[in-house]
Amino acid sequence: MTDLEKRDLTIESAVGQDLPLRSAEAITTEERTQFQMIVTRFLRHKVAVGSLAVFILIVLFAFVGPLLWRYDHTIDRSIPSDEPPSWDHPFGTTRAGQDVMGQVMRGTQQTLKVGFLVALLTTGIGATWGAIAGFYRGRIDSIMMRIVDVIIVIPILVVVLVLAGFTRGTTWLSVALIIGLFGWTSTARVVRGMVLSLREQEFVEASRAMGAGDARIIFRHLLPNTAGVIIVDATLVIATAILVEAALSFLGFGIQIPDTSLGLLIQNAQTAVFTRPWLFYIPGIFIIVIVLTINFIGDGLRDALDPKQQMVRR
Amino acid sequence: MLVYVLRRLAVTIPVLIAATFFTFVLVDLSGDPLQELRFATPPVPEATIRAREVQLYLDRPTVERYWLWLTGIGDTHGDIGILQGKWGPSTQGAMDIGTEIGERFVITLRLVGAATLFALGLAVVTGVISAVKQYSITDNSLTFFGFLALAMPTFWLAALIKEAGIWANQNLGTNFATLGATSPLYYRMEGWEAFMDVVLHLVLPTLTLMLTGYAAISRYQRASMLEVLNSDYIRLARAKGLPNRVVMRRHALRTALIPVVTLAALTVSGALTGAVITETVFRWRGLGTFLTQSIAEYDAFAVMAFLLLAGILVVAANLVADLLYGVLDPRIRYD
Amino acid sequence: MEFPTDDGLVQAVRGVSYELRRGETLGIVGESGSGKSVSSLAVMGLLPKTARISGSAKLQGRELLGLTDSELSKVRGNKIAMIFQDPLTSLSPVYTVGYQLAEAVLAHKDVPKSEAWARAVELLDIVGIPNPEQRANAYPHELSGGMRQRVVIAIAMANNPDVIIADEPTTALDVTVQAQVMEALRNAREETGAAMILITHDLGVVAGTVDRVCVMYAGKLVETGNVDQVFYEPRMPYTLGLLGSLPRLDTTRSHRLTPIVGTPPSLVNLPPGCPFSPRCPIVQPICIEQEPELFSVGIDGQYAACHFHERLIGAKPVDLFPPTTIDEELVAAYDEAPEEVAHEEAR
């Protein structure tokens, strides 16, 4: 909008009566910061917001729960075995004498810890990898992306299985490290794509003209602009990581006794689907709800960060 | 096009080799196959352990081991070298890796093939319906169901379906095959009977993999279809006076299917992963259980054999998808 | 015509009315967002299902709004044909050009495929595409933009329609190609004898081609008349502004183009009164309170929506929209030694 001074000119007599001319006034709109706009758009997605609430509840359940609940996941002689859900044991008990709620709390906690650590690792490795590849292009990009191709050839569960199996990685930390070590490929690709298009923009040239070095440009200017894409990709990665960890534990190569994981709980309950359903369904439902809410949140974030999406209300 | 295929192969073979090398190194670094032997009680004599090491080529450095595994050129016992068709010694007793995976590969291929086909089919159908009826109740429920399927752990669904099958067999008189890839008496069956036996055993596992595998592709198909539906050429097609059904079929669908074809490679990869889990639950003697078994036994060469096959499958699927893409989309030409 | 959106109801078109006579060419002019394309899309029934349309559109006495899709599809491409703006995306990428042309024919006539194909080649020839037999086997991405647009015109002509609606046919193309496309449009008109509606924001394109003009602003018709009336005797400030912003070769170099300051209003929350009032140089209180209707002005057939249309008799664009710099000395110096002054100015 250009600012124009008001001028008072009048039309010449050819038009008859004198009518005062004026110049247009700037049209004003309410200013909103980008962050506020993103938050507003996110809040419009009721499902995403609801999912966020549920997810927070689950996180509290997993991390704060064990501090408050009287049983943990270990065997306790005083616990009656094979009991369906009751007031004493809202999730029931196992044959060996464990409180399922305590187990599920612990299992969820381990699962979430793996998910978060993996997200951190993959974001760190993947974003840096992708940014460097996208920024330098040419030979460096080729080599880096070939490496990514090599990693992708083998399905991640298989790679993780092999490594975890051979190292007998049994703690949540080792599982998370292994998954994180190979799970960053999608983030790398996504960030590379964004950097490739971002680097063509003028602010890159401008910062270079001001003497900024490569590292500064990459980390201070390019990466922050990819934040949106990274966040959305991160939700996908967390979801995948959680499912991979669960599968790993189910097959016996992940988190092992005496610790517990949701996958491990399900493995023990495989044959109890109809006889002692609480042992099978509850851990399963927990996994499903966690991954579901993460996916919905990711969806909501994607819509909030991409203004081109349109939804028509009826 | 032949030139293109050859060029692609020239690129992917090094990738495969790199992938196998890289996993080989990881496997080598991560564990000692003879760990249990070394710490067994009563203690095993040194000589035995030494002999075992030699047998498994553990007395060579990692790179040499890999080279031997790949080419078999060098100081070998005559049982190693992929390029010579030999799979290497196994730690699992007298098992010959080659024959073992040969049988198992066919079994797993059936499952992976059927699962990919049905998953893609379901994905296309649900994606298209969702797009055409955008924002309707049908779309919303299909989308929700898809999300649910995405969130569902394969092993959980597999266990559920298996138990449901058993329950149905007991209470509804149905005859779902819940264990194994074939019945115990399969070797005596012929022709139609044998075929039906295989199919019946495929039903439940394929159902599992279909449900867990279709969701991601379905969303993609929906997005692709939506993009096509809102495009100018659809508008022009309708402006020409073509009836809606024709526009949908001939213009929208045809164009919207193209990008989904490229995802077929992804489905195969996912189906392979799913096969590992499903075979475990349904107790199939396939490649998936071969993997878990071999890992448990620290059988490095067996695991490498699996990885090689898995890699080849994925790469082949990628190549087929790309070629198909070139056939379907005139804008892509590989001359 | 209204569209529900996240921000509210967008009133894309608030009032348009015109009549098209047989063989006549009507030009609809306006800025982006003035509603010119939307009204034609509505007639063809090509708007998204969420659009709410009210009013009437009759073709040879037959009401079109409210027909079912299958009934309308018999009219589309047959009696009324449409040409869209972007030729790159208007043609399906997976079928050959010839196929898409033949398809247009086969949609309404039951003839053997070979005959449809022959007609396709014939049509390509009429719109001036060289080597039509060969080109018919080409895919859209193998043709240039101008050729693609001519194919689209050929498709529109295929069944000798009574009306051809050309929605910004040259906007996406280079100026040099524009002439070819306009030529093809002229051929189309002559071959089919159809009436044409030419929608554009480019007054220059309109000048030599149309018989009548409709000027639209903020979803409404603000002036209409035959082409001479509107161009030489405009009676609405917006029209004057449009004409004033046309680059002209016959004025002295001293005058810069005079744009109309400001931007078109948002169609979501339109204030009462004339929508042009924020930008109008002769705005008065009544303009803000009361939206002007279309007054009949001048010789019959011309209408303008301005409360002060009488005052505008004989007005020229410079009267309302004076140029932004009047530096007499600079102008004089420029006429004598252009190069030196150009250097001066560039500094």
Side-chain angles (χ1 to χ4, degrees), chain B residues 232-233 238-241 250-251, chain C residues 76-77 89 95 100 103 108:
Chain B
D232 280 348
Y233 55 85
R238 294 174 73 208
K240 274 198 254 189
R250 210 188 281 164
H251 288 269
Chain C
R76 293 195 285 247
T89 54
Y95 294 110
Q100 297 187 48
E103 193 186 31
H108 298 281

Side-chain angles (χ1 to χ4, degrees), chain B residues 207-246:
Chain B
L207 184 67
T208 312
L209 286 183
M210 179 178 85
L211 286 175
T212 49
Y214 89 95
I217 314 275
S218 174
R219 277 168 75 183
Y220 198 78
Q221 171 74 79
R222 178 180 181 271
S224 167
M225 190 73 181
L226 275 178
E227 192 186 318
V228 163
L229 284 176
N230 286 324
S231 65
D232 280 348
Y233 55 85
I234 295 293
R235 219 173 25 162
L236 190 86
R238 294 174 73 208
K240 274 198 254 189
L242 292 171
N244 201 31
R245 259 179 312 115
V246 175

